[in-house]
Amino acid sequence: MTALRAENLTILYDGKPAVEGVDFTIDEGETLLLLGPNGAGKTTLLRTIACFHREYRGRLEVFGREPCGARELIGYVPQSSNLNERVPLTALEVVAMGGVYRRGFVHFKLPPEILDKAREVLSFVGLEQVADRLFRELSGGQKQRVLLARALMSDPRLLLLDEPLSALDPSARVEVANVLDKIKRERGITMVITTHDINPLLEVGDKVMLLNRKLIAFGRPEEVLQDRVIKSVYGPLARVIPVEGKLFCITGDTHIHRHGGGGR
């Protein structure tokens, strides 16, 4: 089944195009890695798919529906958490929020079935041991996995993640990337992930989109990560270097590689 479809999609802000003429199709269970420089429109596209931004022209469908008609199917993890860390919420309570918003509960009246599911999802992301620790005391990588767990509480069919690896150290990036791979393998959830550092995510990605207000390239990783394509967005100093069956993409501040042997 087609999870996401865009045809001649133009996203507007105050009547002016922010993203123009985008066409792509993602099948259910696939992961799209969304690349582009700052200001390219990556977050704008993500927010439009999530129905947070509604000013657009063209066709955009989520499982055959307009985005606002598919909101219950979508989980969204923003680039920065909007949690007020002065409120002493535990990791378990933060995760449980993902299961109570639509049911009208507040965090100190969490029903047992919600807490049980929150513990289960925390275990899925490898954090059952921090359930009773305050969220604000967790490391950056642990916080990001807690936010992933919160998004999973609603059993989404589509998961939208805005820069899930940003501001994390290398080991935490690997931990989060491993959880995303587990979500893909064990839950089969369709994902769209914006990123500046594609390196830890390429084994998760089925498709790559290169966006710079317009669609520059879309396809399998080895189709998009080509020298001429990367230079068209990141400038003449950017390049793709093959080394021992891998592709290294240099865009200025990001190094991207992929194991050889074709895409999924």
Side-chain angles (χ1 to χ4, degrees):
M1 181 179 183
T2 299
L4 271 174
R5 184 188 304 276
E7 294 180 0
N8 197 28
L9 176 65
T10 294
I11 304 172
L12 308 167
Y13 271 96
D14 298 325
K16 298 180 180 179
V19 174
E20 286 188 81
V22 173
D23 294 89
F24 68 91
T25 300
I26 301 295
D27 290 332
E28 187 165 12
E30 287 190 323
T31 296
L32 171 66
L33 305 179
L34 183 53
L35 309 179
N38 289 332
K42 302 186 299 297
T43 298
T44 294
L45 177 56
L46 217 63
R47 287 177 56 82
T48 303
I49 295 170
C51 189
F52 295 138
H53 182 77
R54 305 186 186 189
E55 191 181 359
Y56 68 87
R57 296 195 299 256
R59 182 180 180 185
L60 179 60
E61 293 182 349
V62 180
F63 296 104
R65 311 179 197 174
E66 292 187 354
C68 292
R71 294 185 71 168
E72 77 277 8
L73 305 177
I74 301 172
Y76 185 86
V77 182
Q79 183 173 356
S80 58
S81 169
N82 57 2
L83 287 174
N84 182 351
E85 294 193 13
R86 290 178 294 182
V87 179
L89 293 173
T90 66
L92 184 67
E93 289 170 329
V94 171
V95 174
M97 285 180 180
V100 300
Y101 280 145
R102 294 180 184 136
R103 295 178 56 176
F105 295 110
V106 291
H107 84 272
F108 51 86
K109 293 183 179 178
L110 295 171
E113 66 271 19
I114 292 291
L115 289 173
D116 288 344
K117 184 172 182 179
R119 290 187 187 278
E120 177 186 327
V121 178
L122 264 179
S123 178
F124 179 83
V125 302
L127 289 178
E128 62 273 17
Q129 74 280 7
V130 306
D132 298 321
R133 287 182 56 188
L134 292 179
F135 179 79
R136 66 189 178 206
E137 295 175 350
L138 303 180
S139 68
Q142 289 172 330
K143 287 179 178 179
Q144 189 63 273
R145 283 189 281 162
V146 166
L147 295 177
L148 279 172
R150 181 177 68 170
L152 293 175
M153 281 289 291
S154 62
D155 297 314
R157 292 175 63 187
L158 172 64
L159 193 55
L160 307 175
L161 302 111
D162 196 4
E163 295 285 353
L165 306 184
S166 66
L168 300 180
D169 61 42
S171 63
R173 290 184 182 193
V174 172
E175 290 174 356
V176 173
N178 286 341
V179 171
L180 294 174
D181 182 61
K182 187 177 181 182
I183 291 170
K184 178 184 178 68
R185 288 185 290 104
E186 298 187 16
R187 300 211 171 191
I189 298 173
T190 309
M191 292 187 284
V192 180
I193 306 172
T194 72
T195 182
H196 281 95
D197 182 8
I198 197 173
N199 178 41
L201 296 173
L202 268 172
E203 296 307 316
V204 182
D206 300 288
K207 302 284 178 61
V208 174
M209 180 188 296
L210 189 55
L211 188 69
N212 195 10
R213 295 189 176 269
K214 296 183 178 181
L215 182 64
I216 306 301
F218 170 76
R220 292 176 298 174
E222 67 273 16
E223 295 171 335
V224 174
L225 299 179
Q226 297 185 23
D227 203 59
R228 61 176 177 78
V229 178
I230 296 301
K231 287 180 184 292
S232 72
V233 172
Y234 293 100
L237 298 180
R239 61 192 187 277
V240 178
I241 305 172
V243 180
E244 297 181 352
K246 300 177 182 179
L247 292 179
F248 289 80
C249 179
I250 302 172
T251 61
D253 60 354
T254 302
H255 297 256
I256 305 171
H257 82 265
R258 175 177 175 80
H259 291 282
R264 285 179 277 181

